[in-house]
Short mmCIF file of all heavy atoms in Angstrom, two decimals:
data_model
loop_
_atom_site.label_atom_id
_atom_site.label_comp_id
_atom_site.label_asym_id
_atom_site.label_seq_id
_atom_site.Cartn_x
_atom_site.Cartn_y
_atom_site.Cartn_z
N GLU A 236 -64.84 233.45 50.05
CA GLU A 236 -65.28 232.77 48.84
C GLU A 236 -64.64 233.38 47.60
O GLU A 236 -64.24 232.67 46.68
CB GLU A 236 -66.81 232.84 48.72
CG GLU A 236 -67.52 231.97 49.73
CD GLU A 236 -69.04 232.09 49.63
OE1 GLU A 236 -69.53 232.70 48.67
OE2 GLU A 236 -69.72 231.58 50.53
N LEU A 237 -64.50 234.71 47.60
CA LEU A 237 -63.86 235.38 46.46
C LEU A 237 -62.39 235.00 46.37
O LEU A 237 -61.86 234.81 45.27
CB LEU A 237 -64.02 236.89 46.57
CG LEU A 237 -65.41 237.44 46.27
CD1 LEU A 237 -65.47 238.93 46.54
CD2 LEU A 237 -65.80 237.16 44.84
N LEU A 238 -61.72 234.87 47.52
CA LEU A 238 -60.32 234.44 47.50
C LEU A 238 -60.20 233.02 46.96
O LEU A 238 -59.28 232.72 46.18
CB LEU A 238 -59.72 234.53 48.91
CG LEU A 238 -59.40 235.94 49.41
CD1 LEU A 238 -58.96 235.89 50.87
CD2 LEU A 238 -58.34 236.60 48.55
N ASN A 239 -61.11 232.14 47.38
CA ASN A 239 -61.10 230.77 46.86
C ASN A 239 -61.33 230.76 45.35
O ASN A 239 -60.65 230.04 44.61
CB ASN A 239 -62.17 229.93 47.56
CG ASN A 239 -61.85 229.67 49.01
OD1 ASN A 239 -60.71 229.81 49.44
ND2 ASN A 239 -62.85 229.32 49.79
N LEU A 240 -62.29 231.57 44.91
CA LEU A 240 -62.57 231.66 43.48
C LEU A 240 -61.37 232.20 42.72
O LEU A 240 -61.04 231.72 41.63
CB LEU A 240 -63.80 232.54 43.26
CG LEU A 240 -64.30 232.67 41.82
CD1 LEU A 240 -64.73 231.32 41.28
CD2 LEU A 240 -65.43 233.66 41.75
N LYS A 241 -60.69 233.19 43.31
CA LYS A 241 -59.50 233.77 42.67
C LYS A 241 -58.41 232.70 42.52
O LYS A 241 -57.76 232.59 41.48
CB LYS A 241 -58.99 234.94 43.50
CG LYS A 241 -57.78 235.62 42.92
CD LYS A 241 -57.30 236.73 43.83
CE LYS A 241 -56.01 237.33 43.32
NZ LYS A 241 -55.48 238.35 44.24
N GLY A 242 -58.22 231.88 43.58
CA GLY A 242 -57.23 230.81 43.50
C GLY A 242 -57.57 229.80 42.42
O GLY A 242 -56.69 229.36 41.67
N GLU A 243 -58.86 229.45 42.34
CA GLU A 243 -59.27 228.50 41.31
C GLU A 243 -59.06 229.08 39.91
O GLU A 243 -58.62 228.38 38.99
CB GLU A 243 -60.74 228.12 41.51
CG GLU A 243 -60.97 227.25 42.74
CD GLU A 243 -62.44 226.97 43.00
OE1 GLU A 243 -63.27 227.31 42.13
OE2 GLU A 243 -62.75 226.43 44.07
N LEU A 244 -59.37 230.37 39.75
CA LEU A 244 -59.17 231.01 38.46
C LEU A 244 -57.68 231.06 38.09
O LEU A 244 -57.31 230.88 36.93
CB LEU A 244 -59.75 232.42 38.46
CG LEU A 244 -61.28 232.49 38.39
CD1 LEU A 244 -61.75 233.93 38.53
CD2 LEU A 244 -61.81 231.89 37.12
N GLN A 245 -56.83 231.28 39.08
CA GLN A 245 -55.38 231.27 38.81
C GLN A 245 -54.93 229.88 38.39
O GLN A 245 -54.10 229.74 37.48
CB GLN A 245 -54.61 231.73 40.05
CG GLN A 245 -54.68 233.22 40.28
CD GLN A 245 -53.96 233.65 41.54
OE1 GLN A 245 -53.67 232.84 42.41
NE2 GLN A 245 -53.68 234.94 41.65
N ASN A 246 -55.47 228.84 39.05
CA ASN A 246 -55.13 227.47 38.65
C ASN A 246 -55.56 227.19 37.21
O ASN A 246 -54.82 226.59 36.43
CB ASN A 246 -55.79 226.46 39.60
CG ASN A 246 -55.16 226.48 40.97
OD1 ASN A 246 -54.05 226.96 41.15
ND2 ASN A 246 -55.88 225.97 41.96
N VAL A 247 -56.77 227.64 36.88
CA VAL A 247 -57.27 227.43 35.51
C VAL A 247 -56.40 228.20 34.52
O VAL A 247 -56.05 227.70 33.45
CB VAL A 247 -58.75 227.88 35.41
CG1 VAL A 247 -59.20 227.95 33.98
CG2 VAL A 247 -59.63 226.92 36.20
N SER A 248 -56.01 229.43 34.91
CA SER A 248 -55.16 230.25 34.03
C SER A 248 -53.81 229.59 33.81
O SER A 248 -53.30 229.54 32.69
CB SER A 248 -54.99 231.64 34.64
OG SER A 248 -54.09 232.40 33.90
N LEU A 249 -53.22 229.04 34.89
CA LEU A 249 -51.93 228.35 34.76
C LEU A 249 -52.06 227.11 33.87
O LEU A 249 -51.19 226.84 33.04
CB LEU A 249 -51.39 227.97 36.14
CG LEU A 249 -50.92 229.14 37.02
CD1 LEU A 249 -50.54 228.63 38.40
CD2 LEU A 249 -49.73 229.83 36.37
N SER A 250 -53.17 226.38 34.06
CA SER A 250 -53.39 225.19 33.22
C SER A 250 -53.54 225.59 31.75
O SER A 250 -52.99 224.93 30.86
CB SER A 250 -54.64 224.45 33.67
OG SER A 250 -54.49 224.00 35.00
N ALA A 251 -54.28 226.68 31.52
CA ALA A 251 -54.47 227.14 30.13
C ALA A 251 -53.14 227.59 29.53
O ALA A 251 -52.85 227.30 28.36
CB ALA A 251 -55.48 228.30 30.11
N GLN A 252 -52.29 228.26 30.33
CA GLN A 252 -50.98 228.67 29.82
C GLN A 252 -50.12 227.46 29.50
O GLN A 252 -49.42 227.42 28.48
CB GLN A 252 -50.27 229.56 30.85
CG GLN A 252 -50.81 230.96 30.92
CD GLN A 252 -50.13 231.79 31.98
OE1 GLN A 252 -49.35 231.27 32.78
NE2 GLN A 252 -50.43 233.08 32.01
N GLY A 253 -50.19 226.44 30.36
CA GLY A 253 -49.44 225.21 30.09
C GLY A 253 -49.91 224.55 28.80
O GLY A 253 -49.10 224.09 28.00
N CYS A 254 -51.23 224.51 28.61
CA CYS A 254 -51.77 223.93 27.38
C CYS A 254 -51.33 224.73 26.15
O CYS A 254 -50.98 224.15 25.11
CB CYS A 254 -53.30 223.89 27.44
SG CYS A 254 -53.94 222.65 28.58
N LEU A 255 -51.33 226.07 26.28
CA LEU A 255 -50.90 226.90 25.16
C LEU A 255 -49.43 226.66 24.82
O LEU A 255 -49.05 226.59 23.65
CB LEU A 255 -51.12 228.38 25.48
CG LEU A 255 -52.57 228.87 25.37
CD1 LEU A 255 -52.67 230.32 25.85
CD2 LEU A 255 -53.07 228.76 23.95
N GLU A 256 -48.60 226.52 25.86
CA GLU A 256 -47.18 226.26 25.61
C GLU A 256 -46.98 224.90 24.93
O GLU A 256 -46.18 224.78 24.00
CB GLU A 256 -46.41 226.32 26.92
CG GLU A 256 -46.27 227.73 27.47
CD GLU A 256 -45.58 227.77 28.82
OE1 GLU A 256 -45.10 226.72 29.29
OE2 GLU A 256 -45.55 228.86 29.40
N LEU A 257 -47.71 223.89 25.40
CA LEU A 257 -47.62 222.57 24.76
C LEU A 257 -48.09 222.64 23.31
O LEU A 257 -47.48 222.02 22.42
CB LEU A 257 -48.47 221.55 25.53
CG LEU A 257 -47.92 221.09 26.88
CD1 LEU A 257 -48.94 220.21 27.59
CD2 LEU A 257 -46.61 220.33 26.69
N GLN A 258 -49.15 223.40 23.07
CA GLN A 258 -49.65 223.54 21.70
C GLN A 258 -48.63 224.25 20.82
O GLN A 258 -48.40 223.86 19.67
CB GLN A 258 -50.97 224.32 21.73
CG GLN A 258 -51.69 224.34 20.40
CD GLN A 258 -53.01 225.07 20.49
OE1 GLN A 258 -53.30 225.72 21.47
NE2 GLN A 258 -53.80 224.94 19.45
N LYS A 259 -47.97 225.29 21.37
CA LYS A 259 -46.94 225.99 20.59
C LYS A 259 -45.79 225.05 20.26
O LYS A 259 -45.28 225.06 19.13
CB LYS A 259 -46.41 227.19 21.38
CG LYS A 259 -47.35 228.38 21.37
CD LYS A 259 -46.75 229.53 22.18
CE LYS A 259 -47.72 230.69 22.27
NZ LYS A 259 -47.20 231.78 23.09
N GLU A 260 -45.36 224.26 21.25
CA GLU A 260 -44.28 223.30 21.00
C GLU A 260 -44.69 222.29 19.93
O GLU A 260 -43.89 221.96 19.04
CB GLU A 260 -43.92 222.58 22.30
CG GLU A 260 -43.19 223.44 23.31
CD GLU A 260 -42.93 222.70 24.60
OE1 GLU A 260 -43.16 221.47 24.68
OE2 GLU A 260 -42.49 223.36 25.57
N ALA A 261 -45.92 221.82 20.01
CA ALA A 261 -46.39 220.84 19.02
C ALA A 261 -46.42 221.48 17.63
O ALA A 261 -46.01 220.84 16.64
CB ALA A 261 -47.77 220.32 19.41
N TRP A 262 -46.88 222.73 17.53
CA TRP A 262 -46.92 223.40 16.23
C TRP A 262 -45.51 223.62 15.68
O TRP A 262 -45.28 223.45 14.48
CB TRP A 262 -47.65 224.74 16.34
CG TRP A 262 -49.14 224.61 16.23
CD1 TRP A 262 -50.04 224.81 17.22
CD2 TRP A 262 -49.88 224.25 15.08
NE1 TRP A 262 -51.31 224.59 16.77
CE2 TRP A 262 -51.24 224.24 15.44
CE3 TRP A 262 -49.54 223.90 13.78
CZ2 TRP A 262 -52.25 223.91 14.55
CZ3 TRP A 262 -50.56 223.58 12.89
CH2 TRP A 262 -51.89 223.59 13.27
N SER A 263 -44.60 224.01 16.57
CA SER A 263 -43.23 224.23 16.07
C SER A 263 -42.61 222.91 15.60
O SER A 263 -41.94 222.87 14.57
CB SER A 263 -42.36 224.88 17.16
OG SER A 263 -42.20 224.01 18.25
N THR A 264 -42.86 221.82 16.35
CA THR A 264 -42.36 220.51 15.93
C THR A 264 -42.99 220.11 14.60
O THR A 264 -42.30 219.60 13.70
CB THR A 264 -42.69 219.46 17.01
OG1 THR A 264 -42.16 219.89 18.25
CG2 THR A 264 -42.12 218.11 16.65
N LEU A 265 -44.30 220.34 14.46
CA LEU A 265 -44.98 220.00 13.22
C LEU A 265 -44.46 220.83 12.05
O LEU A 265 -44.22 220.30 10.96
CB LEU A 265 -46.49 220.22 13.40
CG LEU A 265 -47.37 219.88 12.21
CD1 LEU A 265 -47.31 218.39 11.90
CD2 LEU A 265 -48.81 220.31 12.46
N ASN A 266 -44.23 222.13 12.30
CA ASN A 266 -43.67 222.98 11.24
C ASN A 266 -42.29 222.52 10.81
O ASN A 266 -41.96 222.47 9.62
CB ASN A 266 -43.62 224.44 11.69
CG ASN A 266 -44.99 225.09 11.68
OD1 ASN A 266 -45.89 224.65 10.98
ND2 ASN A 266 -45.15 226.14 12.47
N GLN A 267 -41.46 222.17 11.81
CA GLN A 267 -40.11 221.71 11.51
C GLN A 267 -40.16 220.39 10.73
O GLN A 267 -39.44 220.21 9.74
CB GLN A 267 -39.33 221.53 12.81
CG GLN A 267 -37.87 221.29 12.62
CD GLN A 267 -37.15 221.24 13.97
OE1 GLN A 267 -37.79 221.20 15.02
NE2 GLN A 267 -35.84 221.23 13.94
N SER A 268 -41.04 219.48 11.14
CA SER A 268 -41.18 218.20 10.43
C SER A 268 -41.67 218.44 9.00
O SER A 268 -41.20 217.79 8.05
CB SER A 268 -42.16 217.29 11.16
OG SER A 268 -41.69 217.00 12.45
N THR A 269 -42.60 219.37 8.84
CA THR A 269 -43.12 219.68 7.50
C THR A 269 -42.03 220.24 6.62
O THR A 269 -41.90 219.86 5.44
CB THR A 269 -44.29 220.68 7.62
OG1 THR A 269 -45.28 220.16 8.52
CG2 THR A 269 -44.94 220.94 6.28
N ARG A 270 -41.24 221.17 7.17
CA ARG A 270 -40.13 221.74 6.38
C ARG A 270 -39.15 220.65 5.96
O ARG A 270 -38.68 220.61 4.81
CB ARG A 270 -39.41 222.81 7.20
CG ARG A 270 -40.04 224.18 7.05
CD ARG A 270 -39.17 225.26 7.66
NE ARG A 270 -39.94 225.87 8.74
CZ ARG A 270 -39.60 225.89 10.00
NH1 ARG A 270 -38.46 225.35 10.40
NH2 ARG A 270 -40.37 226.44 10.91
N MET A 271 -38.82 219.77 6.91
CA MET A 271 -37.88 218.69 6.58
C MET A 271 -38.47 217.76 5.51
O MET A 271 -37.76 217.33 4.58
CB MET A 271 -37.53 217.89 7.84
CG MET A 271 -36.65 218.68 8.80
SD MET A 271 -36.35 217.83 10.36
CE MET A 271 -35.46 216.41 9.82
#
């Protein structure tokens, strides 16, 4: 059960990292658009 929970937590962590990367890209695009 702990191994299953660890796998689920890793999936959540990967999803959160993906969301953070998308958010960073969106912020950089927004900053660039604002500067322009």
Side-chain angles (χ1 to χ4, degrees):
E236 288 178 10
L237 286 174
L238 285 174
N239 291 342
L240 184 62
K241 181 182 175 184
E243 290 175 9
L244 286 175
Q245 284 178 343
N246 289 341
V247 169
S248 174
L249 290 174
S250 299
Q252 284 178 352
C254 288
L255 284 174
E256 288 176 7
L257 287 174
Q258 189 177 11
K259 283 180 184 177
E260 288 177 8
W262 276 111
S263 65
T264 305
L265 182 64
N266 285 337
Q267 190 175 10
S268 299
T269 305
R270 273 190 242 119
M271 289 175 64

